[in-house]
Amino acid sequence: MSTHPHRPIWELSAPVAPETAALGSDLETDVLIVGAGFSGLSSALHLQDSGRNVVLIESHSIGWGASGRNGGHVLPLIRKDPKAIVEHCGAGQGDGLIQMIAESADYVFSLIERYGIDCDAERNGWLQAIHSDAQMKVCRDRYQQWLPYGADMELLNAQQSAELMGSFSYKGALFVKSAGHINPLAFCRGMAKELIAQGVRIFTDTPALSMHGSGKRWEVKTPSGTIIADKVVLVTAAYSDDLWPGLKKSFLPFYLYNIATKPLDAELQASVLPGRQPVTDTRSDSHVFHYDAAGRLISGGTFIFPTGWEERIVRHAESVLKEIFPQLQNPQFELDYLWRGKISMTADILPHCHILAPNVYTWLGCNARGIALATRMGAVLADAVNEVDVESWPLRPTAMKPIPAQEFSRLMTSVMLACYRLRDKVM
Ligand SMILES: Cc1cc2nc3c(=O)[nH]c(=O)nc-3n(C[C@H](O)[C@H](O)[C@H](O)COP(=O)(O)OP(=O)(O)OC[C@H]3O[C@@H](n4cnc5c(N)ncnc54)[C@H](O)[C@@H]3O)c2cc1C
């Protein structure tokens, strides 16, 4: 039996959530959004801007899914670089998607500014710390590929990255200057507060149990009321259930964890990540580090531990922190705030947008890089609802495809993680 409540540390400093309740009666709306993460909240903001009557429902609370549990790194990159994106999507469509990704962190920070969202936003860049010579080559190439798209990046040598990180464990770093970090739960709550102020109806503790319909009339049942909507934006991501047949089979769910130390004293903060940039290293099973606003050092990674995962994570996190930051000899963790969450990994490691049926839209495949991407995709789905010409969508809709043998996803992700760890040792 676990003794850890598994709450994200972000709860400690996020402003309280705006008051919401479960749906209590039937209603009708132009657009129903299912899922109150970055995708759903941002989509609602854009639809509200265009004068649509919007209702948003969420099974649990605002930001309950990956959006309130992530690391808070806002970065304008996905796991594929421009050449691979163009190879996959073709030059025209690929360029549109790459440009959207390159501008996606600007997009998040501009929403924060526009709505005055209180979410401890710091825009001081992001470091991809390079752990091997092979990855130095990959990052040099990454840097060259993103430059033509206006990316504000610098490739740092070992000395320069050590100065920003307070660690000599890396061969250098890709410094992405337009990136930053936020309290992601506070960002979700801030968007929700703005939506409610603008008159959008948000219902929490309101799972969509079933949906039926066609074309211009969708009927979505919840435990305490039925919603009739002309259009539905389904943004349940890695937490998708059986609401839309086949949706949860179109990706592999991966678990990531985060763990926070107690606040470090000023001397340690000046020595560990003195530049305060969030860091993800180039390992396939990445080590991730960043501070929250109170100076807690948060670290994270991937895990698949069926039982006793908490204790293993504490041991793993402690050994990683001591290896990368030898000055941090005795990390004390906030064990009440050891948390995990799910992400959607797609077979080609690219995001996908689907028109599931007439007037039903979704996207999937954050592949662990989803704050900027999901927030921006919210606007793309809003454009879809507003019938903006599909030729101008930066991510074109495709047919949803199930991943073969997805029911064995736990086994598949375990094997993938073992391969990642092996690859990290050799390259
Ligand atoms: C531990 C962790 C660390 C991460 N770190 C980073 C990071 O540092 N930077 C980064 O860019 N990305 C990161 N990510 C990825 C990022 O968090 C996600 O890509 C992003 O939050 C996805 O947002 P979303 O709105 O699409 O989905 P979610 O936030 O998962 O929202 C989906 C919502 O749908 C709701 N839902 C599901 N089914 C129903 C239903 N039937 N009815 C009603 N509601 C339903 C769920 O309750 C959930 O709240 C991380 C993810 C995790 C888990």
PDB file of all heavy atoms in Angstrom, residues 34-35 37-39 58-60 64-67 69-73 206-208 235-237 239 241 256 341-343 366 368-371 374, ligand 1:
ATOM      1  N   VAL A  34     -14.274  18.413 -24.217  1.00  0.00           N
ATOM      2  CA  VAL A  34     -14.144  17.365 -23.193  1.00  0.00           C
ATOM      3  C   VAL A  34     -12.672  17.280 -22.798  1.00  0.00           C
ATOM      4  O   VAL A  34     -11.815  16.926 -23.608  1.00  0.00           O
ATOM      5  CB  VAL A  34     -14.631  16.000 -23.724  1.00  0.00           C
ATOM      6  CG1 VAL A  34     -14.569  14.940 -22.609  1.00  0.00           C
ATOM      7  CG2 VAL A  34     -16.039  16.095 -24.284  1.00  0.00           C
ATOM      8  N   GLY A  35     -12.352  17.647 -21.539  1.00  0.00           N
ATOM      9  CA  GLY A  35     -10.965  17.590 -21.039  1.00  0.00           C
ATOM     10  C   GLY A  35     -10.451  18.985 -20.714  1.00  0.00           C
ATOM     11  O   GLY A  35     -10.356  19.833 -21.600  1.00  0.00           O
ATOM     12  N   GLY A  37      -7.406  20.188 -19.793  1.00  0.00           N
ATOM     13  CA  GLY A  37      -5.950  20.377 -19.779  1.00  0.00           C
ATOM     14  C   GLY A  37      -5.612  21.582 -20.649  1.00  0.00           C
ATOM     15  O   GLY A  37      -6.498  22.367 -21.019  1.00  0.00           O
ATOM     16  N   PHE A  38      -4.318  21.707 -20.991  1.00  0.00           N
ATOM     17  CA  PHE A  38      -3.911  22.850 -21.836  1.00  0.00           C
ATOM     18  C   PHE A  38      -4.708  22.875 -23.138  1.00  0.00           C
ATOM     19  O   PHE A  38      -5.136  23.941 -23.593  1.00  0.00           O
ATOM     20  CB  PHE A  38      -2.428  22.756 -22.226  1.00  0.00           C
ATOM     21  CG  PHE A  38      -1.483  22.678 -21.073  1.00  0.00           C
ATOM     22  CD1 PHE A  38      -0.487  21.707 -21.049  1.00  0.00           C
ATOM     23  CD2 PHE A  38      -1.549  23.574 -20.024  1.00  0.00           C
ATOM     24  CE1 PHE A  38       0.404  21.635 -19.994  1.00  0.00           C
ATOM     25  CE2 PHE A  38      -0.667  23.514 -18.965  1.00  0.00           C
ATOM     26  CZ  PHE A  38       0.327  22.529 -18.953  1.00  0.00           C
ATOM     27  N   SER A  39      -4.896  21.684 -23.762  1.00  0.00           N
ATOM     28  CA  SER A  39      -5.567  21.648 -25.075  1.00  0.00           C
ATOM     29  C   SER A  39      -6.986  22.180 -24.956  1.00  0.00           C
ATOM     30  O   SER A  39      -7.407  23.045 -25.747  1.00  0.00           O
ATOM     31  CB  SER A  39      -5.648  20.215 -25.612  1.00  0.00           C
ATOM     32  OG  SER A  39      -4.402  19.615 -25.692  1.00  0.00           O
ATOM     33  N   GLU A  58     -14.958  18.164 -17.513  1.00  0.00           N
ATOM     34  CA  GLU A  58     -13.738  17.476 -17.082  1.00  0.00           C
ATOM     35  C   GLU A  58     -14.134  16.407 -16.057  1.00  0.00           C
ATOM     36  O   GLU A  58     -14.915  16.688 -15.145  1.00  0.00           O
ATOM     37  CB  GLU A  58     -12.777  18.529 -16.485  1.00  0.00           C
ATOM     38  CG  GLU A  58     -11.678  18.009 -15.581  1.00  0.00           C
ATOM     39  CD  GLU A  58     -10.709  17.024 -16.226  1.00  0.00           C
ATOM     40  OE1 GLU A  58     -10.230  17.282 -17.340  1.00  0.00           O
ATOM     41  OE2 GLU A  58     -10.455  15.972 -15.595  1.00  0.00           O
ATOM     42  N   SER A  59     -13.566  15.209 -16.217  1.00  0.00           N
ATOM     43  CA  SER A  59     -13.865  14.097 -15.294  1.00  0.00           C
ATOM     44  C   SER A  59     -13.523  14.422 -13.855  1.00  0.00           C
ATOM     45  O   SER A  59     -14.202  13.988 -12.945  1.00  0.00           O
ATOM     46  CB  SER A  59     -13.005  12.884 -15.623  1.00  0.00           C
ATOM     47  OG  SER A  59     -13.403  12.257 -16.750  1.00  0.00           O
ATOM     48  N   HIS A  60     -12.410  15.128 -13.645  1.00  0.00           N
ATOM     49  CA  HIS A  60     -11.919  15.369 -12.289  1.00  0.00           C
ATOM     50  C   HIS A  60     -11.910  16.875 -12.014  1.00  0.00           C
ATOM     51  O   HIS A  60     -12.950  17.482 -11.955  1.00  0.00           O
ATOM     52  CB  HIS A  60     -10.537  14.733 -12.111  1.00  0.00           C
ATOM     53  CG  HIS A  60     -10.546  13.253 -12.353  1.00  0.00           C
ATOM     54  ND1 HIS A  60     -10.386  12.707 -13.604  1.00  0.00           N
ATOM     55  CD2 HIS A  60     -10.745  12.210 -11.504  1.00  0.00           C
ATOM     56  CE1 HIS A  60     -10.476  11.380 -13.515  1.00  0.00           C
ATOM     57  NE2 HIS A  60     -10.685  11.054 -12.249  1.00  0.00           N
ATOM     58  N   TRP A  64      -6.257  18.293 -14.016  1.00  0.00           N
ATOM     59  CA  TRP A  64      -6.045  17.036 -13.287  1.00  0.00           C
ATOM     60  C   TRP A  64      -5.151  16.069 -14.072  1.00  0.00           C
ATOM     61  O   TRP A  64      -4.421  15.288 -13.495  1.00  0.00           O
ATOM     62  CB  TRP A  64      -7.395  16.369 -13.007  1.00  0.00           C
ATOM     63  CG  TRP A  64      -7.271  15.065 -12.267  1.00  0.00           C
ATOM     64  CD1 TRP A  64      -7.240  14.898 -10.916  1.00  0.00           C
ATOM     65  CD2 TRP A  64      -7.151  13.754 -12.850  1.00  0.00           C
ATOM     66  NE1 TRP A  64      -7.108  13.548 -10.629  1.00  0.00           N
ATOM     67  CE2 TRP A  64      -7.052  12.831 -11.793  1.00  0.00           C
ATOM     68  CE3 TRP A  64      -7.111  13.264 -14.164  1.00  0.00           C
ATOM     69  CZ2 TRP A  64      -6.928  11.454 -11.997  1.00  0.00           C
ATOM     70  CZ3 TRP A  64      -6.981  11.893 -14.376  1.00  0.00           C
ATOM     71  CH2 TRP A  64      -6.888  11.003 -13.294  1.00  0.00           C
ATOM     72  N   GLY A  65      -5.220  16.108 -15.401  1.00  0.00           N
ATOM     73  CA  GLY A  65      -4.447  15.173 -16.236  1.00  0.00           C
ATOM     74  C   GLY A  65      -2.984  15.585 -16.299  1.00  0.00           C
ATOM     75  O   GLY A  65      -2.449  16.176 -15.349  1.00  0.00           O
ATOM     76  N   ALA A  66      -2.334  15.291 -17.428  1.00  0.00           N
ATOM     77  CA  ALA A  66      -0.899  15.591 -17.554  1.00  0.00           C
ATOM     78  C   ALA A  66      -0.617  17.082 -17.367  1.00  0.00           C
ATOM     79  O   ALA A  66       0.455  17.457 -16.879  1.00  0.00           O
ATOM     80  CB  ALA A  66      -0.407  15.140 -18.927  1.00  0.00           C
ATOM     81  N   SER A  67      -1.606  17.935 -17.693  1.00  0.00           N
ATOM     82  CA  SER A  67      -1.330  19.379 -17.670  1.00  0.00           C
ATOM     83  C   SER A  67      -1.014  19.910 -16.282  1.00  0.00           C
ATOM     84  O   SER A  67      -0.236  20.850 -16.142  1.00  0.00           O
ATOM     85  CB  SER A  67      -2.517  20.145 -18.275  1.00  0.00           C
ATOM     86  OG  SER A  67      -2.657  19.776 -19.628  1.00  0.00           O
ATOM     87  N   ARG A  69       0.374  18.052 -13.920  1.00  0.00           N
ATOM     88  CA  ARG A  69       1.370  17.179 -13.274  1.00  0.00           C
ATOM     89  C   ARG A  69       2.735  17.240 -13.935  1.00  0.00           C
ATOM     90  O   ARG A  69       3.625  16.456 -13.593  1.00  0.00           O
ATOM     91  CB  ARG A  69       0.948  15.711 -13.417  1.00  0.00           C
ATOM     92  CG  ARG A  69      -0.370  15.375 -12.857  1.00  0.00           C
ATOM     93  CD  ARG A  69      -0.817  14.079 -13.505  1.00  0.00           C
ATOM     94  NE  ARG A  69      -2.191  13.823 -13.155  1.00  0.00           N
ATOM     95  CZ  ARG A  69      -2.583  12.849 -12.338  1.00  0.00           C
ATOM     96  NH1 ARG A  69      -1.718  12.026 -11.837  1.00  0.00           N
ATOM     97  NH2 ARG A  69      -3.850  12.690 -12.064  1.00  0.00           N
ATOM     98  N   ASN A  70       2.873  18.058 -14.975  1.00  0.00           N
ATOM     99  CA  ASN A  70       4.127  17.939 -15.730  1.00  0.00           C
ATOM    100  C   ASN A  70       5.240  18.748 -15.073  1.00  0.00           C
ATOM    101  O   ASN A  70       5.081  19.309 -13.995  1.00  0.00           O
ATOM    102  CB  ASN A  70       3.902  18.351 -17.181  1.00  0.00           C
ATOM    103  CG  ASN A  70       3.415  19.756 -17.271  1.00  0.00           C
ATOM    104  OD1 ASN A  70       4.131  20.684 -16.953  1.00  0.00           O
ATOM    105  ND2 ASN A  70       2.162  19.913 -17.651  1.00  0.00           N
ATOM    106  N   GLY A  71       6.382  18.801 -15.799  1.00  0.00           N
ATOM    107  CA  GLY A  71       7.558  19.464 -15.252  1.00  0.00           C
ATOM    108  C   GLY A  71       7.533  20.982 -15.398  1.00  0.00           C
ATOM    109  O   GLY A  71       8.327  21.670 -14.765  1.00  0.00           O
ATOM    110  N   GLY A  72       6.675  21.501 -16.255  1.00  0.00           N
ATOM    111  CA  GLY A  72       6.584  22.954 -16.414  1.00  0.00           C
ATOM    112  C   GLY A  72       7.566  23.544 -17.413  1.00  0.00           C
ATOM    113  O   GLY A  72       7.653  24.765 -17.551  1.00  0.00           O
ATOM    114  N   HIS A  73       8.326  22.704 -18.159  1.00  0.00           N
ATOM    115  CA  HIS A  73       9.272  23.236 -19.157  1.00  0.00           C
ATOM    116  C   HIS A  73       8.485  23.639 -20.407  1.00  0.00           C
ATOM    117  O   HIS A  73       7.883  22.776 -21.055  1.00  0.00           O
ATOM    118  CB  HIS A  73      10.289  22.189 -19.601  1.00  0.00           C
ATOM    119  CG  HIS A  73      11.098  21.588 -18.489  1.00  0.00           C
ATOM    120  ND1 HIS A  73      12.247  20.871 -18.732  1.00  0.00           N
ATOM    121  CD2 HIS A  73      10.943  21.611 -17.154  1.00  0.00           C
ATOM    122  CE1 HIS A  73      12.748  20.457 -17.571  1.00  0.00           C
ATOM    123  NE2 HIS A  73      11.966  20.887 -16.602  1.00  0.00           N
ATOM    124  N   THR A 206     -17.257  15.764 -13.956  1.00  0.00           N
ATOM    125  CA  THR A 206     -18.294  15.486 -14.961  1.00  0.00           C
ATOM    126  C   THR A 206     -17.707  14.685 -16.121  1.00  0.00           C
ATOM    127  O   THR A 206     -17.338  15.249 -17.163  1.00  0.00           O
ATOM    128  CB  THR A 206     -18.911  16.824 -15.463  1.00  0.00           C
ATOM    129  OG1 THR A 206     -19.426  17.534 -14.325  1.00  0.00           O
ATOM    130  CG2 THR A 206     -20.017  16.603 -16.473  1.00  0.00           C
ATOM    131  N   PRO A 207     -17.567  13.384 -15.936  1.00  0.00           N
ATOM    132  CA  PRO A 207     -17.035  12.584 -17.046  1.00  0.00           C
ATOM    133  C   PRO A 207     -18.052  12.442 -18.179  1.00  0.00           C
ATOM    134  O   PRO A 207     -19.248  12.274 -17.914  1.00  0.00           O
ATOM    135  CB  PRO A 207     -16.769  11.211 -16.394  1.00  0.00           C
ATOM    136  CG  PRO A 207     -17.649  11.155 -15.181  1.00  0.00           C
ATOM    137  CD  PRO A 207     -17.823  12.583 -14.710  1.00  0.00           C
ATOM    138  N   ALA A 208     -17.564  12.515 -19.401  1.00  0.00           N
ATOM    139  CA  ALA A 208     -18.426  12.178 -20.540  1.00  0.00           C
ATOM    140  C   ALA A 208     -18.464  10.656 -20.591  1.00  0.00           C
ATOM    141  O   ALA A 208     -17.421  10.007 -20.706  1.00  0.00           O
ATOM    142  CB  ALA A 208     -17.834  12.738 -21.823  1.00  0.00           C
ATOM    143  N   VAL A 235     -10.455  16.348 -26.116  1.00  0.00           N
ATOM    144  CA  VAL A 235      -9.023  16.509 -25.816  1.00  0.00           C
ATOM    145  C   VAL A 235      -8.709  15.818 -24.489  1.00  0.00           C
ATOM    146  O   VAL A 235      -8.319  16.432 -23.512  1.00  0.00           O
ATOM    147  CB  VAL A 235      -8.606  17.995 -25.834  1.00  0.00           C
ATOM    148  CG1 VAL A 235      -8.204  18.416 -27.226  1.00  0.00           C
ATOM    149  CG2 VAL A 235      -9.705  18.913 -25.316  1.00  0.00           C
ATOM    150  N   THR A 236      -8.883  14.502 -24.531  1.00  0.00           N
ATOM    151  CA  THR A 236      -8.682  13.672 -23.344  1.00  0.00           C
ATOM    152  C   THR A 236      -7.286  13.052 -23.342  1.00  0.00           C
ATOM    153  O   THR A 236      -6.901  12.405 -22.360  1.00  0.00           O
ATOM    154  CB  THR A 236      -9.771  12.582 -23.302  1.00  0.00           C
ATOM    155  OG1 THR A 236      -9.847  11.964 -24.598  1.00  0.00           O
ATOM    156  CG2 THR A 236     -11.131  13.175 -22.990  1.00  0.00           C
ATOM    157  N   ALA A 237      -6.565  13.201 -24.431  1.00  0.00           N
ATOM    158  CA  ALA A 237      -5.137  12.851 -24.549  1.00  0.00           C
ATOM    159  C   ALA A 237      -4.829  11.471 -23.942  1.00  0.00           C
ATOM    160  O   ALA A 237      -5.559  10.516 -24.178  1.00  0.00           O
ATOM    161  CB  ALA A 237      -4.304  13.974 -23.924  1.00  0.00           C
ATOM    162  N   TYR A 239      -5.238  10.366 -21.140  1.00  0.00           N
ATOM    163  CA  TYR A 239      -6.238   9.889 -20.179  1.00  0.00           C
ATOM    164  C   TYR A 239      -7.524   9.460 -20.888  1.00  0.00           C
ATOM    165  O   TYR A 239      -8.553   9.267 -20.234  1.00  0.00           O
ATOM    166  CB  TYR A 239      -6.504  10.967 -19.113  1.00  0.00           C
ATOM    167  CG  TYR A 239      -5.290  11.124 -18.230  1.00  0.00           C
ATOM    168  CD1 TYR A 239      -4.243  11.968 -18.584  1.00  0.00           C
ATOM    169  CD2 TYR A 239      -5.159  10.371 -17.074  1.00  0.00           C
ATOM    170  CE1 TYR A 239      -3.101  12.062 -17.809  1.00  0.00           C
ATOM    171  CE2 TYR A 239      -4.016  10.465 -16.288  1.00  0.00           C
ATOM    172  CZ  TYR A 239      -2.998  11.308 -16.662  1.00  0.00           C
ATOM    173  OH  TYR A 239      -1.871  11.383 -15.887  1.00  0.00           O
ATOM    174  N   ASP A 241     -10.452   7.427 -22.371  1.00  0.00           N
ATOM    175  CA  ASP A 241     -11.056   6.152 -21.963  1.00  0.00           C
ATOM    176  C   ASP A 241     -11.766   5.571 -23.185  1.00  0.00           C
ATOM    177  O   ASP A 241     -11.330   5.774 -24.309  1.00  0.00           O
ATOM    178  CB  ASP A 241     -11.986   6.382 -20.755  1.00  0.00           C
ATOM    179  CG  ASP A 241     -12.918   7.574 -20.997  1.00  0.00           C
ATOM    180  OD1 ASP A 241     -13.154   7.896 -22.181  1.00  0.00           O
ATOM    181  OD2 ASP A 241     -13.415   8.167 -20.019  1.00  0.00           O
ATOM    182  N   LEU A 256       5.531   9.125 -16.627  1.00  0.00           N
ATOM    183  CA  LEU A 256       6.688   9.923 -16.210  1.00  0.00           C
ATOM    184  C   LEU A 256       6.491  10.277 -14.738  1.00  0.00           C
ATOM    185  O   LEU A 256       5.365  10.404 -14.278  1.00  0.00           O
ATOM    186  CB  LEU A 256       6.774  11.230 -17.013  1.00  0.00           C
ATOM    187  CG  LEU A 256       6.802  11.138 -18.537  1.00  0.00           C
ATOM    188  CD1 LEU A 256       6.918  12.533 -19.133  1.00  0.00           C
ATOM    189  CD2 LEU A 256       7.945  10.274 -19.015  1.00  0.00           C
ATOM    190  N   GLY A 341       2.514  10.937 -14.005  1.00  0.00           N
ATOM    191  CA  GLY A 341       1.423  11.234 -14.935  1.00  0.00           C
ATOM    192  C   GLY A 341       1.653  10.487 -16.233  1.00  0.00           C
ATOM    193  O   GLY A 341       2.715   9.901 -16.455  1.00  0.00           O
ATOM    194  N   LYS A 342       0.634  10.508 -17.084  1.00  0.00           N
ATOM    195  CA  LYS A 342       0.685   9.731 -18.333  1.00  0.00           C
ATOM    196  C   LYS A 342       0.838  10.662 -19.525  1.00  0.00           C
ATOM    197  O   LYS A 342       0.229  11.729 -19.552  1.00  0.00           O
ATOM    198  CB  LYS A 342      -0.648   9.003 -18.517  1.00  0.00           C
ATOM    199  CG  LYS A 342      -0.601   7.552 -18.149  1.00  0.00           C
ATOM    200  CD  LYS A 342      -1.819   6.794 -18.635  1.00  0.00           C
ATOM    201  CE  LYS A 342      -3.101   7.081 -17.939  1.00  0.00           C
ATOM    202  NZ  LYS A 342      -4.226   6.251 -18.370  1.00  0.00           N
ATOM    203  N   ILE A 343       1.597  10.222 -20.507  1.00  0.00           N
ATOM    204  CA  ILE A 343       1.668  10.955 -21.779  1.00  0.00           C
ATOM    205  C   ILE A 343       1.303  10.007 -22.922  1.00  0.00           C
ATOM    206  O   ILE A 343       1.403   8.791 -22.769  1.00  0.00           O
ATOM    207  CB  ILE A 343       3.079  11.528 -22.037  1.00  0.00           C
ATOM    208  CG1 ILE A 343       4.130  10.417 -21.959  1.00  0.00           C
ATOM    209  CG2 ILE A 343       3.410  12.643 -21.075  1.00  0.00           C
ATOM    210  CD1 ILE A 343       5.326  10.693 -22.792  1.00  0.00           C
ATOM    211  N   CYS A 366       1.597  14.065 -27.707  1.00  0.00           N
ATOM    212  CA  CYS A 366       2.526  15.096 -27.234  1.00  0.00           C
ATOM    213  C   CYS A 366       3.928  14.518 -27.153  1.00  0.00           C
ATOM    214  O   CYS A 366       4.910  15.234 -27.263  1.00  0.00           O
ATOM    215  CB  CYS A 366       2.086  15.643 -25.879  1.00  0.00           C
ATOM    216  SG  CYS A 366       2.481  14.572 -24.482  1.00  0.00           S
ATOM    217  N   ALA A 368       5.678  13.643 -24.787  1.00  0.00           N
ATOM    218  CA  ALA A 368       6.377  14.260 -23.627  1.00  0.00           C
ATOM    219  C   ALA A 368       6.752  15.724 -23.819  1.00  0.00           C
ATOM    220  O   ALA A 368       7.344  16.324 -22.942  1.00  0.00           O
ATOM    221  CB  ALA A 368       7.606  13.471 -23.204  1.00  0.00           C
ATOM    222  N   ARG A 369       6.457  16.299 -24.972  1.00  0.00           N
ATOM    223  CA  ARG A 369       6.725  17.728 -25.167  1.00  0.00           C
ATOM    224  C   ARG A 369       5.383  18.388 -25.441  1.00  0.00           C
ATOM    225  O   ARG A 369       5.013  18.584 -26.606  1.00  0.00           O
ATOM    226  CB  ARG A 369       7.657  17.929 -26.363  1.00  0.00           C
ATOM    227  CG  ARG A 369       8.989  17.213 -26.253  1.00  0.00           C
ATOM    228  CD  ARG A 369      10.024  18.118 -25.588  1.00  0.00           C
ATOM    229  NE  ARG A 369      11.226  17.391 -25.238  1.00  0.00           N
ATOM    230  CZ  ARG A 369      12.261  17.200 -26.048  1.00  0.00           C
ATOM    231  NH1 ARG A 369      12.225  17.677 -27.265  1.00  0.00           N
ATOM    232  NH2 ARG A 369      13.325  16.560 -25.628  1.00  0.00           N
ATOM    233  N   GLY A 370       4.650  18.724 -24.401  1.00  0.00           N
ATOM    234  CA  GLY A 370       3.257  19.079 -24.685  1.00  0.00           C
ATOM    235  C   GLY A 370       2.752  20.392 -24.149  1.00  0.00           C
ATOM    236  O   GLY A 370       1.610  20.721 -24.420  1.00  0.00           O
ATOM    237  N   ILE A 371       3.534  21.146 -23.364  1.00  0.00           N
ATOM    238  CA  ILE A 371       2.935  22.377 -22.821  1.00  0.00           C
ATOM    239  C   ILE A 371       2.683  23.354 -23.959  1.00  0.00           C
ATOM    240  O   ILE A 371       1.550  23.798 -24.190  1.00  0.00           O
ATOM    241  CB  ILE A 371       3.830  23.003 -21.737  1.00  0.00           C
ATOM    242  CG1 ILE A 371       4.005  22.026 -20.581  1.00  0.00           C
ATOM    243  CG2 ILE A 371       3.225  24.334 -21.264  1.00  0.00           C
ATOM    244  CD1 ILE A 371       4.837  22.553 -19.436  1.00  0.00           C
ATOM    245  N   ALA A 374       0.451  21.515 -26.852  1.00  0.00           N
ATOM    246  CA  ALA A 374      -0.982  21.331 -26.559  1.00  0.00           C
ATOM    247  C   ALA A 374      -1.705  22.681 -26.533  1.00  0.00           C
ATOM    248  O   ALA A 374      -2.832  22.807 -27.009  1.00  0.00           O
ATOM    249  CB  ALA A 374      -1.161  20.617 -25.221  1.00  0.00           C
TER     250      ALA A 374
HETATM  251  C1  LIG B   1       5.104  13.846 -15.374  1.00  0.00           C
HETATM  252  C2  LIG B   1       5.013  14.598 -16.681  1.00  0.00           C
HETATM  253  C3  LIG B   1       5.974  15.559 -16.987  1.00  0.00           C
HETATM  254  C4  LIG B   1       5.868  16.288 -18.177  1.00  0.00           C
HETATM  255  N1  LIG B   1       6.734  17.320 -18.376  1.00  0.00           N
HETATM  256  C5  LIG B   1       6.558  18.131 -19.445  1.00  0.00           C
HETATM  257  C6  LIG B   1       7.353  19.289 -19.583  1.00  0.00           C
HETATM  258  O1  LIG B   1       8.144  19.653 -18.709  1.00  0.00           O
HETATM  259  N2  LIG B   1       7.189  20.046 -20.712  1.00  0.00           N
HETATM  260  C7  LIG B   1       6.267  19.719 -21.674  1.00  0.00           C
HETATM  261  O2  LIG B   1       6.174  20.419 -22.680  1.00  0.00           O
HETATM  262  N3  LIG B   1       5.461  18.642 -21.548  1.00  0.00           N
HETATM  263  C8  LIG B   1       5.565  17.852 -20.449  1.00  0.00           C
HETATM  264  N4  LIG B   1       4.707  16.804 -20.281  1.00  0.00           N
HETATM  265  C9  LIG B   1       3.633  16.584 -21.280  1.00  0.00           C
HETATM  266  C10 LIG B   1       2.440  17.533 -21.068  1.00  0.00           C
HETATM  267  O3  LIG B   1       2.083  17.594 -19.718  1.00  0.00           O
HETATM  268  C11 LIG B   1       1.226  17.050 -21.889  1.00  0.00           C
HETATM  269  O4  LIG B   1       1.610  16.959 -23.213  1.00  0.00           O
HETATM  270  C12 LIG B   1       0.049  18.006 -21.837  1.00  0.00           C
HETATM  271  O5  LIG B   1      -0.288  18.293 -20.515  1.00  0.00           O
HETATM  272  C13 LIG B   1      -1.165  17.426 -22.562  1.00  0.00           C
HETATM  273  O6  LIG B   1      -2.242  18.310 -22.337  1.00  0.00           O
HETATM  274  P1  LIG B   1      -3.702  17.897 -22.778  1.00  0.00           P
HETATM  275  O7  LIG B   1      -4.605  19.006 -22.433  1.00  0.00           O
HETATM  276  O8  LIG B   1      -3.696  17.480 -24.204  1.00  0.00           O
HETATM  277  O9  LIG B   1      -4.042  16.580 -21.916  1.00  0.00           O
HETATM  278  P2  LIG B   1      -4.302  16.404 -20.338  1.00  0.00           P
HETATM  279  O10 LIG B   1      -3.726  17.501 -19.550  1.00  0.00           O
HETATM  280  O11 LIG B   1      -3.875  15.007 -19.987  1.00  0.00           O
HETATM  281  O12 LIG B   1      -5.882  16.550 -20.211  1.00  0.00           O
HETATM  282  C14 LIG B   1      -6.811  15.547 -20.558  1.00  0.00           C
HETATM  283  C15 LIG B   1      -7.976  15.676 -19.582  1.00  0.00           C
HETATM  284  O13 LIG B   1      -9.084  14.936 -20.084  1.00  0.00           O
HETATM  285  C16 LIG B   1      -9.813  14.465 -18.950  1.00  0.00           C
HETATM  286  N5  LIG B   1     -10.672  13.354 -19.399  1.00  0.00           N
HETATM  287  C17 LIG B   1     -10.305  12.144 -19.865  1.00  0.00           C
HETATM  288  N6  LIG B   1     -11.386  11.423 -20.203  1.00  0.00           N
HETATM  289  C18 LIG B   1     -12.464  12.203 -19.939  1.00  0.00           C
HETATM  290  C19 LIG B   1     -13.878  12.008 -20.092  1.00  0.00           C
HETATM  291  N7  LIG B   1     -14.387  10.872 -20.568  1.00  0.00           N
HETATM  292  N8  LIG B   1     -14.715  13.017 -19.720  1.00  0.00           N
HETATM  293  C20 LIG B   1     -14.219  14.200 -19.221  1.00  0.00           C
HETATM  294  N9  LIG B   1     -12.893  14.417 -19.080  1.00  0.00           N
HETATM  295  C21 LIG B   1     -12.030  13.437 -19.433  1.00  0.00           C
HETATM  296  C22 LIG B   1      -8.729  14.033 -17.981  1.00  0.00           C
HETATM  297  O14 LIG B   1      -9.225  13.963 -16.654  1.00  0.00           O
HETATM  298  C23 LIG B   1      -7.670  15.107 -18.189  1.00  0.00           C
HETATM  299  O15 LIG B   1      -7.751  16.134 -17.215  1.00  0.00           O
HETATM  300  C24 LIG B   1       4.809  16.020 -19.115  1.00  0.00           C
HETATM  301  C25 LIG B   1       3.857  15.042 -18.817  1.00  0.00           C
HETATM  302  C26 LIG B   1       3.940  14.344 -17.611  1.00  0.00           C
HETATM  303  C27 LIG B   1       2.888  13.320 -17.310  1.00  0.00           C
END
